[in-house]
Protein backbone atom coordinates (compact mmCIF):
# COMPACT_ATOMS: atom_id res chain seq x y z
CA UNK A 1 0.00 0.00 0.00
CA UNK A 2 1.44 3.37 -1.08
CA UNK A 3 0.27 6.93 -0.52
CA UNK A 4 -0.54 9.02 -3.61
CA UNK A 5 0.89 12.54 -3.36
CA UNK A 6 -0.82 15.63 -4.77
CA UNK A 7 1.40 15.53 -7.87
CA UNK A 8 0.41 11.91 -8.56
CA UNK A 9 3.68 10.37 -7.39
CA UNK A 10 3.75 7.45 -4.96
CA UNK A 11 5.40 7.29 -1.56
CA UNK A 12 8.87 5.76 -1.85
CA UNK A 13 8.28 3.45 1.08
CA UNK A 14 5.03 1.47 1.34
CA UNK A 15 2.63 2.36 4.12
CA UNK A 16 1.87 -1.33 4.54
CA UNK A 17 3.19 -4.64 3.25
CA UNK A 18 1.07 -7.77 3.64
CA UNK A 19 2.39 -11.26 3.03
CA UNK A 20 -0.25 -13.65 1.69
CA UNK A 21 0.52 -16.79 -0.33
CA UNK A 22 1.92 -17.66 -3.80
CA UNK A 23 0.27 -16.34 -6.96
CA UNK A 24 -1.68 -13.37 -5.63
CA UNK A 25 -3.03 -12.04 -8.91
CA UNK A 26 -5.14 -8.90 -8.54
CA UNK A 27 -6.77 -6.57 -6.01
CA UNK A 28 -9.85 -4.33 -6.03
CA UNK A 29 -12.17 -2.77 -3.49
CA UNK A 30 -15.97 -2.98 -3.50
CA UNK A 31 -18.28 -0.07 -4.39
CA UNK A 32 -18.24 1.24 -0.81
CA UNK A 33 -14.41 1.23 -0.76
CA UNK A 34 -14.55 -0.57 2.62
CA UNK A 35 -13.54 -4.08 1.55
CA UNK A 36 -10.76 -5.46 -0.66
CA UNK A 37 -10.27 -8.85 -2.28
CA UNK A 38 -7.15 -10.61 -3.57
CA UNK A 39 -7.63 -13.79 -5.66
CA UNK A 40 -4.79 -16.31 -5.79
CA UNK A 41 -4.43 -18.87 -8.56
CA UNK A 42 -3.07 -22.37 -7.94
CA UNK A 43 -1.53 -23.65 -5.77
CA UNK A 44 -3.10 -21.28 -3.23
CA UNK A 45 -6.56 -21.39 -4.86
CA UNK A 46 -8.25 -18.85 -2.59
CA UNK A 47 -9.64 -15.31 -2.46
CA UNK A 48 -8.31 -13.25 0.45
CA UNK A 49 -10.82 -10.91 2.12
CA UNK A 50 -9.73 -7.64 3.76
CA UNK A 51 -11.26 -4.62 5.42
CA UNK A 52 -9.95 -1.36 3.96
CA UNK A 53 -9.63 2.01 5.74
CA UNK A 54 -9.64 4.68 3.04
CA UNK A 55 -8.46 7.35 5.52
CA UNK A 56 -5.27 5.55 6.53
CA UNK A 57 -4.86 3.24 3.53
CA UNK A 58 -4.59 0.19 5.78
CA UNK A 59 -5.83 -3.35 5.16
CA UNK A 60 -6.82 -5.78 7.92
CA UNK A 61 -7.90 -9.41 7.44
CA UNK A 62 -11.65 -9.94 7.41
CA UNK A 63 -13.41 -12.83 9.15
CA UNK A 64 -12.90 -15.30 7.58
CA UNK A 65 -9.64 -14.08 6.02
CA UNK A 66 -10.09 -16.08 2.81
CA UNK A 67 -12.53 -18.14 0.74
CA UNK A 68 -11.41 -21.49 -0.67
CA UNK A 69 -13.11 -22.92 -3.75
CA UNK A 70 -12.81 -26.50 -2.55
CA UNK A 71 -11.88 -27.55 -6.10
CA UNK A 72 -8.80 -26.55 -8.16
CA UNK A 73 -10.26 -23.52 -9.95
CA UNK A 74 -7.49 -20.92 -9.47
CA UNK A 75 -9.26 -17.52 -9.13
CA UNK A 76 -7.40 -14.81 -11.09
CA UNK A 77 -9.45 -11.61 -11.65
CA UNK A 78 -12.95 -10.54 -10.58
CA UNK A 79 -15.77 -8.12 -11.23
CA UNK A 80 -18.69 -6.86 -9.16
CA UNK A 81 -22.19 -6.66 -10.58
CA UNK A 82 -23.00 -2.94 -10.97
CA UNK A 83 -26.20 -3.04 -8.88
CA UNK A 84 -26.57 -6.47 -7.25
CA UNK A 85 -24.47 -7.71 -4.32
CA UNK A 86 -22.84 -10.30 -6.57
CA UNK A 87 -19.12 -10.95 -7.14
CA UNK A 88 -17.79 -12.90 -10.14
CA UNK A 89 -14.32 -14.47 -10.31
CA UNK A 90 -12.70 -15.86 -13.45
CA UNK A 91 -10.69 -18.99 -12.65
CA UNK A 92 -7.48 -19.40 -14.63
CA UNK A 93 -6.62 -23.02 -13.93
CA UNK A 94 -9.99 -24.67 -14.55
CA UNK A 95 -11.49 -22.34 -17.18
CA UNK A 96 -14.53 -21.45 -15.09
CA UNK A 97 -16.38 -18.47 -13.62
CA UNK A 98 -17.52 -18.50 -9.99
CA UNK A 99 -20.46 -16.43 -8.76
CA UNK A 100 -20.55 -15.34 -5.12
CA UNK A 101 -23.09 -13.61 -2.95
CA UNK A 102 -21.42 -10.53 -1.45
CA UNK A 103 -22.40 -9.52 2.09
CA UNK A 104 -22.08 -5.75 1.77
CA UNK A 105 -22.19 -5.25 5.55
CA UNK A 106 -19.55 -7.82 6.50
CA UNK A 107 -17.56 -7.73 3.28
CA UNK A 108 -17.53 -11.50 2.82
CA UNK A 109 -18.21 -13.87 -0.06
CA UNK A 110 -20.23 -17.08 -0.31
CA UNK A 111 -20.20 -19.09 -3.58
CA UNK A 112 -23.42 -20.18 -5.29
CA UNK A 113 -22.55 -21.04 -8.92
CA UNK A 114 -19.67 -22.41 -10.99
CA UNK A 115 -19.87 -22.38 -14.82
CA UNK A 116 -17.39 -23.35 -17.54
CA UNK A 117 -16.03 -20.87 -20.08
CA UNK A 118 -15.20 -23.38 -22.85
CA UNK A 119 -17.34 -25.31 -25.35
CA UNK A 120 -18.12 -28.81 -24.12
CA UNK A 121 -16.30 -30.43 -27.05
CA UNK A 122 -13.05 -28.46 -26.62
CA UNK A 123 -10.27 -30.78 -25.40
CA UNK A 124 -7.04 -28.75 -25.76
CA UNK A 125 -5.37 -26.65 -23.08
CA UNK A 126 -6.83 -23.26 -22.32
CA UNK A 127 -6.60 -20.78 -19.44
CA UNK A 128 -8.92 -17.91 -18.62
CA UNK A 129 -7.54 -14.43 -18.06
CA UNK A 130 -10.04 -11.56 -17.71
CA UNK A 131 -13.67 -10.94 -16.73
CA UNK A 132 -15.99 -7.95 -17.25
CA UNK A 133 -19.67 -7.13 -16.66
CA UNK A 134 -21.49 -4.60 -18.85
CA UNK A 135 -22.56 -1.36 -17.09
CA UNK A 136 -26.24 -2.38 -17.30
CA UNK A 137 -25.42 -5.68 -15.53
CA UNK A 138 -27.03 -7.82 -18.24
CA UNK A 139 -23.98 -9.51 -19.78
CA UNK A 140 -20.68 -10.96 -18.57
CA UNK A 141 -17.60 -11.82 -20.64
CA UNK A 142 -14.55 -13.97 -19.88
CA UNK A 143 -11.48 -14.52 -22.06
CA UNK A 144 -10.01 -17.93 -22.96
CA UNK A 145 -6.29 -18.20 -23.79
CA UNK A 146 -5.87 -21.36 -25.86
CA UNK A 147 -9.39 -21.50 -27.22
CA UNK A 148 -8.70 -17.81 -28.06
CA UNK A 149 -12.22 -16.65 -27.54
CA UNK A 150 -14.47 -14.41 -25.50
CA UNK A 151 -17.17 -16.34 -23.64
CA UNK A 152 -20.53 -14.61 -23.21
CA UNK A 153 -22.93 -15.17 -20.31
CA UNK A 154 -26.36 -13.67 -19.74
CA UNK A 155 -26.81 -12.40 -16.19
CA UNK A 156 -30.19 -13.32 -14.71
CA UNK A 157 -32.20 -11.19 -12.29
CA UNK A 158 -30.77 -13.11 -9.32
CA UNK A 159 -27.19 -12.89 -10.60
CA UNK A 160 -26.90 -16.45 -11.94
CA UNK A 161 -25.14 -16.92 -15.27
CA UNK A 162 -26.37 -18.63 -18.44
CA UNK A 163 -23.85 -19.42 -21.21
CA UNK A 164 -24.67 -17.69 -24.51
CA UNK A 165 -21.75 -18.62 -26.76
CA UNK A 166 -18.18 -17.82 -27.78
CA UNK A 167 -16.62 -15.24 -30.07
CA UNK A 168 -13.19 -15.73 -31.69
CA UNK A 169 -10.61 -13.06 -30.89
CA UNK A 170 -6.90 -12.30 -31.30
CA UNK A 171 -4.77 -15.21 -29.97
CA UNK A 172 -3.96 -15.20 -26.25
CA UNK A 173 -6.49 -12.60 -25.05
CA UNK A 174 -4.74 -11.85 -21.77
CA UNK A 175 -6.77 -8.70 -21.29
CA UNK A 176 -9.90 -7.05 -22.65
CA UNK A 177 -12.05 -4.17 -21.48
CA UNK A 178 -15.37 -2.44 -22.10
CA UNK A 179 -15.46 1.23 -22.98
CA UNK A 180 -17.17 3.44 -20.35
CA UNK A 181 -20.39 3.59 -22.38
CA UNK A 182 -20.67 -0.21 -22.48
CA UNK A 183 -21.15 -0.17 -26.27
CA UNK A 184 -17.75 -1.52 -27.31
CA UNK A 185 -15.32 -4.24 -26.25
CA UNK A 186 -11.57 -4.12 -26.94
CA UNK A 187 -9.46 -7.30 -26.74
CA UNK A 188 -5.64 -7.42 -26.83
CA UNK A 189 -3.92 -10.38 -28.47
CA UNK A 190 -0.72 -11.02 -26.53
CA UNK A 191 0.63 -13.33 -29.26
CA UNK A 192 -0.25 -11.11 -32.24
CA UNK A 193 0.38 -7.56 -31.04
CA UNK A 194 -3.04 -6.56 -32.28
CA UNK A 195 -6.11 -5.01 -30.69
CA UNK A 196 -9.57 -6.23 -31.79
CA UNK A 197 -12.60 -3.93 -31.48
CA UNK A 198 -16.19 -5.19 -31.22
CA UNK A 199 -19.60 -3.57 -31.02
CA UNK A 200 -21.80 -4.99 -28.22
CA UNK A 201 -25.44 -5.74 -28.95
CA UNK A 202 -27.06 -4.38 -25.80
CA UNK A 203 -30.02 -6.76 -26.00
CA UNK A 204 -28.18 -10.02 -26.64
CA UNK A 205 -24.57 -9.25 -25.65
CA UNK A 206 -23.28 -10.66 -28.94
CA UNK A 207 -20.08 -9.15 -30.34
CA UNK A 208 -19.82 -7.70 -33.84
CA UNK A 209 -16.19 -7.47 -35.06
CA UNK A 210 -15.39 -3.94 -36.24
CA UNK A 211 -11.63 -3.62 -36.73
CA UNK A 212 -8.16 -4.70 -35.60
CA UNK A 213 -5.15 -2.48 -34.93
CA UNK A 214 -1.43 -3.15 -34.50
CA UNK A 215 -0.37 -1.96 -31.03
CA UNK A 216 3.11 -3.43 -30.52
CA UNK A 217 4.56 -6.65 -29.18
CA UNK A 218 2.84 -8.58 -26.38
CA UNK A 219 0.10 -6.14 -25.28
CA UNK A 220 -0.97 -6.96 -21.73
CA UNK A 221 -3.38 -4.22 -20.60
CA UNK A 222 -6.02 -1.74 -21.78
CA UNK A 223 -6.96 1.36 -19.81
CA UNK A 224 -9.57 3.99 -20.72
CA UNK A 225 -8.77 7.50 -19.51
CA UNK A 226 -11.52 10.11 -19.48
CA UNK A 227 -10.36 13.68 -19.80
CA UNK A 228 -11.58 15.99 -17.09
CA UNK A 229 -12.96 19.37 -18.07
CA UNK A 230 -11.17 22.28 -16.41
Amino acid sequence: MHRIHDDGSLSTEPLQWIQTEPHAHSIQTDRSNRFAFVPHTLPTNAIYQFRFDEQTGSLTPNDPPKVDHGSPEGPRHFAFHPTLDIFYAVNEDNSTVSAFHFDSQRGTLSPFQLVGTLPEDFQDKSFTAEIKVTPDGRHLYASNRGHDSLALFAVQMDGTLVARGHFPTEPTPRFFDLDPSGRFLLSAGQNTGRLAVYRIDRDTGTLEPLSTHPVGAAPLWILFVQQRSE
Side-chain angles (χ1 to χ4, degrees):
M1 190 70 62
H2 291 263
R3 183 178 300 281
I4 303 175
H5 299 304
D6 291 341
D7 64 357
S9 64
L10 301 180
S11 59
T12 303
E13 297 297 325
L15 303 179
Q16 187 179 20
W17 182 284
I18 297 176
Q19 185 71 40
T20 58
E21 293 181 83
H23 295 185
H25 220 288
S26 61
I27 183 170
Q28 293 183 63
T29 57
D30 75 313
R31 290 190 296 274
S32 73
N33 206 33
R34 295 186 299 136
F35 305 104
F37 300 88
V38 185
H40 295 59
T41 58
L42 293 183
T44 301
N45 194 46
I47 300 174
Y48 273 63
Q49 305 182 133
F50 293 96
R51 293 181 176 273
F52 176 60
D53 186 328
E54 65 178 8
Q55 299 302 316
T56 64
S58 62
L59 293 170
T60 54
N62 210 335
D63 181 20
K66 61 182 179 180
V67 178
D68 193 328
H69 272 78
S71 57
E73 305 301 328
R76 174 184 170 97
H77 287 179
F78 63 91
F80 282 95
H81 190 278
T83 57
L84 302 175
D85 287 333
I86 304 291
F87 173 112
Y88 300 103
V90 67
N91 304 309
E92 176 176 342
D93 300 287
N94 223 17
S95 296
T96 55
V97 170
S98 300
F100 297 80
H101 290 295
F102 169 57
D103 187 324
S104 60
Q105 298 303 310
R106 298 178 57 233
T108 55
L109 305 174
S110 54
F112 68 91
Q113 187 186 23
L114 182 68
V115 293
T117 64
L118 296 169
E120 293 183 0
D121 59 355
F122 183 77
Q123 300 298 323
D124 294 334
K125 288 185 178 180
S126 189
F127 304 91
T128 59
E130 189 53 83
I131 186 169
K132 297 291 178 180
V133 181
T134 54
D136 60 10
R138 298 175 60 188
H139 312 292
L140 179 147
Y141 303 92
S143 63
N144 293 304
R145 295 172 294 171
H147 188 248
D148 294 333
S149 66
L150 299 167
L152 165 65
F153 298 88
V155 182
Q156 306 302 292
M157 295 293 290
D158 62 356
T160 58
L161 301 176
V162 177
R164 293 295 192 223
H166 302 83
F167 300 88
T169 192
E170 292 291 312
T172 317
R174 185 166 178 175
F175 194 79
F176 70 91
D177 203 0
L178 310 180
D179 85 295
S181 74
R183 295 182 297 163
F184 302 98
L185 184 151
L186 283 70
S187 177
Q190 185 180 358
N191 281 8
T192 64
R194 298 184 66 82
L195 184 74
V197 183
Y198 304 84
R199 179 182 286 113
I200 299 173
D201 185 304
R202 291 195 168 183
D203 291 328
T204 65
T206 57
L207 300 177
E208 175 192 351
L210 295 179
S211 59
T212 60
H213 306 271
V215 291
L220 299 181
W221 204 260
I222 301 166
L223 179 66
F224 285 92
V225 178
Q226 292 180 287
Q227 185 176 0
R228 293 188 302 175
S229 58
E230 298 297 336

